[in-house]
Amino acid sequence: MGRRSDGRDLTKEWQEKFDRAAYVTSADELNALDLSKVDHLLGLFEPSHMKFESDRQKDEAGEPSLAEMTSTAIDILSRDEDGFFLMVEGGRIDHAHHDGNAKRALKDGQAFAQAVQMALSKVDLDNTLILVTADHSHVFTIAGYPTRGNPILGLSVPPAKDGSPGTEPALAEDGKPYTTLGYWTGPGAVTGERPLVTSEEAQDLDYHQQAAIPTEWENHGGEDVALFAAGPWSHLVGGVIEQNVIYHIMDYAMGLSEDQSSD
């Protein structure tokens, strides 16, 4: 019943509203479902946000991965002869960036990529349009000309003068090394003298990447973000477009507008 004060159990009401409905709260329950008997599925795995992917993997009992949820959704929705619309969001990428925590952000980015790959493996691109994009960027940077093979989360180690892989980190004007990844704003900034950070410390899961301006939370960026597409009408994606054009691409591909020609 959560925090409701009226005693209503909305999940129970939802289940009673539909035939062949299922409600799950864990990965084990989701994996145990016989999807041939389910037309409506509700999964609520946390009282608030779901876990970051790095933390989810430590929890053997609990949440399904984004790819697993994507797979289940497509299995159910694809039975509709009229087709379907599905939106999948790797929402915690944003949260990790706001916390200045690059390791969790990148790990959740990988989980999102796996969900995209899962979708590609389960649909027919002759009749299914897939769009992949972001709603904004972050003030997230890469710096220091790191040598090939240098840990992306570690200190910035440039190549040696002869071009061979380097071994010593680059030093800033204060004589201290700096991380390859950083933020313009965020909780990783300090006032006064910078602490000396080792590569091992910088690669810790809970490390807040160095930032230039101390703020409680890191901020969104303002540059363009990429839009990738595959499937019918994906050729309409190209160049620089306004964000509202994405709606019109989906509208055209699905033939929703009444004044749209049948072709």
Side-chain angles (χ1 to χ4, degrees):
M1 295 185 184
R3 299 176 181 176
R4 297 188 67 90
S5 60
D6 58 7
R8 292 180 62 186
D9 185 339
L10 295 185
T11 56
K12 183 178 180 181
E13 291 179 24
W14 179 87
Q15 287 178 277
E16 293 173 346
K17 181 179 179 180
F18 300 105
D19 293 328
R20 293 164 54 89
Y23 165 53
V24 295
T25 60
S26 70
D28 290 342
E29 291 179 0
L30 181 65
N31 294 330
L33 285 177
D34 181 352
L35 296 183
S36 66
K37 299 178 180 179
V38 176
D39 291 333
H40 302 275
L41 176 59
L42 174 63
L44 298 176
F45 305 103
E46 290 288 344
S48 181
H49 298 297
M50 295 184 70
K51 291 182 175 67
F52 290 107
E53 178 67 8
S54 298
D55 303 304
R56 183 195 70 82
Q57 292 179 334
K58 299 177 183 178
D59 181 5
E60 297 180 358
E63 299 174 0
S65 68
L66 194 62
E68 289 171 328
M69 290 186 286
T70 300
S71 176
T72 301
I74 293 175
D75 286 342
I76 294 175
L77 294 172
S78 60
R79 298 202 301 259
D80 192 326
E81 295 180 356
D82 296 324
F84 64 92
F85 171 83
L86 172 65
M87 189 186 87
V88 177
E89 181 180 12
R92 301 230 67 188
I93 302 170
D94 178 69
H95 292 167
H97 277 314
H98 280 309
D99 200 32
N101 186 192
K103 189 165 188 174
R104 282 190 171 90
L106 295 180
K107 191 66 177 180
D108 270 59
Q110 289 178 319
F112 179 69
Q114 291 164 0
V116 173
Q117 187 59 49
M118 177 61 73
L120 287 167
S121 73
K122 296 183 78 71
V123 302
D124 182 354
L125 289 179
D126 288 335
N127 57 34
T128 306
L129 172 65
I130 291 182
L131 299 172
V132 179
T133 190
D135 53 344
H136 55 74
S137 65
H138 284 265
V139 290
F140 188 44
T141 63
I142 181 171
Y145 308 106
T147 189
R148 184 180 296 276
N150 191 62
I152 190 64
L153 291 161
L155 300 178
S156 184
V157 177
K161 291 183 178 180
D162 63 1
S164 62
T167 57
E168 296 298 322
L171 300 180
E173 290 297 316
D174 60 4
K176 296 178 181 179
Y178 53 90
T179 56
T180 298
L181 299 180
Y183 293 92
W184 180 239
T185 63
V190 295
T191 55
E193 185 177 357
R194 288 194 311 133
L196 182 65
V197 178
T198 68
S199 185
E200 289 73 21
E201 290 172 331
Q203 295 179 68
D204 186 81
L205 182 61
D206 294 317
Y207 181 69
H208 297 280
Q209 250 62 32
Q210 296 174 349
I213 299 174
T215 56
E216 181 180 7
W217 301 107
E218 178 266 358
N219 306 124
H220 293 167
E223 66 265 38
D224 291 341
V225 297
L227 170 63
F228 304 94
W233 303 108
S234 58
H235 65 277
L236 297 177
V237 174
V240 178
I241 62 175
E242 294 288 342
Q243 60 183 6
N244 56 60
V245 174
I246 299 174
Y247 159 77
H248 294 288
I249 293 172
M250 293 190 294
D251 174 47
Y252 192 82
M254 293 187 287
L256 295 180
S257 296
E258 293 181 1
D259 60 349
Q260 183 174 302
S261 63
S262 60
D263 61 355

